[in-house]
Amino acid sequence: MKKATSSAPKSRPPIVVVVGHIDHGKSTLLDYIKNTTVAEKEVGGITQRVSAYEIKHHEKTITFLDTPGHEAFSSLRERSAKIADLAIVVVSAEEGVKAQTVEAQNAVTAANLPYLIAINKIDRPTANIDRTKQSLTENSILVEGYGGTIPCLPISAKTGEGVPELLEFVLLMAELAELTTEPDVPATGFVLEATRHPKVGVITTLIIKNGTLHLSDFLVVGSIVGRIKKLENFRGENVSLLQASSPAVVLGLPVMPTAGAPFRVAPDKNAAEKMARETADEIRATESELKNQTDGATLLPLILKADNVGSLEALQKE
């Protein structure tokens, strides 16, 4: 069994959430950065769940979270904003600020995240950067040069113009944030997404915020306990360990966890089960309190089904 040892904190890569209104180019931006075709693979051209990717820029790693822009997926954006270290709010140079732009910016500020504005689609004939900045100002988003201090960079996710400068600025913000990890301690972090595969069972995507996650670790998510039977990086490659800021795909949880739930690693099965029992007691106490608050109300029982817990959240909201 691996034992935790003390060590000096070390710097870790930033976890960056990309948010904004639907069709303003979030997935296209990530697509350009990592040179894949995520936007083309999504159903209807809209990101349906949170996805996480690692990229390299000047030999430095950045983890990106891609979130849906449709209003139904506001809970996913809020969850991602709480998990991330920095945020990029994407705004179209053609359309300016829209409803989900404001919603996304509110989620970012509520999570107290440093953020910058990326004015996208500057390659379009009808793009107007100054008008977009004015639109931001009218919505109390005060960028540099327009009465505020929020960094604002013009980019084209299609041609790549301005994207290197955007990544440079992200790394600068990360350096100022002084993000650290203790690599020798058991991993902690959050559940990004989960789904159930008919052949292999529950597949859970995690984001590690501190420590190192190992194959065969005992994982505790709320009242759920499982041992990691398979550990993959974001490319789907089998690995024996992953460190802070990395997305991790794991097999081994017996039931699907709640998206956004924190996870911990226990030293052994007994310790994991004790952690889970303590959390279960807290959950029962909370549920009992909520039940008392709804006494006398008429409740309509519904069963909602979705392919993953993130989409289930959207259904619940609607």
Side-chain angles (χ1 to χ4, degrees), residues 40-114:
E40 294 176 9
K41 291 180 181 178
E42 295 292 351
V43 178
I46 302 171
T47 310
Q48 299 294 313
R49 65 195 70 180
V50 176
S51 299
Y53 315 92
E54 288 180 351
I55 67 105
K56 289 279 189 181
H57 185 67
H58 295 331
E59 301 306 314
K60 293 184 178 180
T61 301
I62 305 172
T63 296
F64 279 101
L65 305 182
D66 181 18
T67 66
H70 191 276
E71 62 180 342
F73 293 93
S74 60
S75 57
L76 278 78
R77 288 194 296 277
E78 291 166 2
R79 176 172 78 248
S80 299
K82 292 176 182 177
I83 294 172
D85 304 305
L86 311 169
I88 297 173
V89 180
V90 179
V91 186
S92 168
E94 292 182 303
E95 297 184 349
V97 175
K98 292 290 185 180
Q100 276 74 62
T101 311
V102 175
E103 184 186 87
Q105 192 264 351
N106 288 340
V108 166
T109 53
N112 199 29
L113 278 188

Side-chain angles (χ1 to χ4, degrees), residues 20 43 67 99 107 112 120 122 130 198 201 204 212 230 245 260-261 295 303:
V43 178
T67 66
N112 199 29
N120 190 28
I122 60 172
D130 289 334
T204 308
T212 301
K230 188 174 185 179
S245 301
D295 279 349
I303 296 176

Side-chain angles (χ1 to χ4, degrees), residues 293-301:
Q293 292 174 0
T294 58
D295 279 349
T298 300
L299 301 180
L300 176 64

Side-chain angles (χ1 to χ4, degrees), residues 10-236:
K10 296 181 180 179
S11 62
R12 66 171 175 85
I15 301 170
V16 182
V17 62
V18 182
V19 296
H21 190 77
I22 185 173
D23 198 35
H24 277 196
K26 302 179 304 301
S27 292
T28 307
L29 172 60
L30 283 171
D31 178 53
Y32 181 87
I33 291 172
K34 57 191 171 55
N35 195 27
T36 63
T37 53
V38 173
E40 294 176 9
K41 291 180 181 178
E42 295 292 351
V43 178
I46 302 171
T47 310
Q48 299 294 313
R49 65 195 70 180
V50 176
S51 299
Y53 315 92
E54 288 180 351
I55 67 105
K56 289 279 189 181
H57 185 67
H58 295 331
E59 301 306 314
K60 293 184 178 180
T61 301
I62 305 172
T63 296
F64 279 101
L65 305 182
D66 181 18
T67 66
H70 191 276
E71 62 180 342
F73 293 93
S74 60
S75 57
L76 278 78
R77 288 194 296 277
E78 291 166 2
R79 176 172 78 248
S80 299
K82 292 176 182 177
I83 294 172
D85 304 305
L86 311 169
I88 297 173
V89 180
V90 179
V91 186
S92 168
E94 292 182 303
E95 297 184 349
V97 175
K98 292 290 185 180
Q100 276 74 62
T101 311
V102 175
E103 184 186 87
Q105 192 264 351
N106 288 340
V108 166
T109 53
N112 199 29
L113 278 188
Y115 71 99
L116 59 84
I117 301 292
I119 299 180
N120 190 28
K121 303 188 180 183
I122 60 172
D123 56 288
R124 299 285 186 89
T126 56
N128 190 319
I129 296 174
D130 289 334
R131 186 176 62 201
T132 303
K133 289 182 178 180
Q134 184 61 40
S135 176
L136 289 162
T137 302
E138 291 167 358
N139 285 273
S140 301
I141 304 173
L142 304 179
V143 300
E144 292 176 343
Y146 277 70
T149 57
I150 302 169
C152 183
L153 288 83
I155 67 165
S156 169
K158 183 178 180 180
T159 68
E161 182 181 353
V163 175
E165 290 79 5
L166 178 71
L167 296 178
E168 289 288 346
F169 217 100
V170 165
L171 290 172
L172 175 61
M173 292 174 69
E175 185 177 339
L176 293 174
E178 298 182 339
L179 305 171
T180 60
T181 179
E182 300 166 282
D184 295 326
V185 304
T188 56
F190 296 90
V191 174
L192 261 187
E193 193 56 88
T195 188
R196 184 182 294 278
H197 191 281
K199 293 183 179 180
V200 300
V202 176
I203 302 173
T204 308
T205 303
L206 309 172
I207 281 286
I208 306 167
K209 290 300 293 266
N210 191 35
T212 301
L213 188 68
H214 298 84
L215 183 66
S216 298
D217 275 346
F218 285 96
L219 205 60
V220 183
V221 185
S223 59
I224 304 170
V225 173
R227 192 168 193 178
I228 299 178
K229 300 175 182 177
K230 188 174 185 179
L231 179 63
E232 296 179 350
N233 61 19
F234 78 99
R235 296 187 185 92

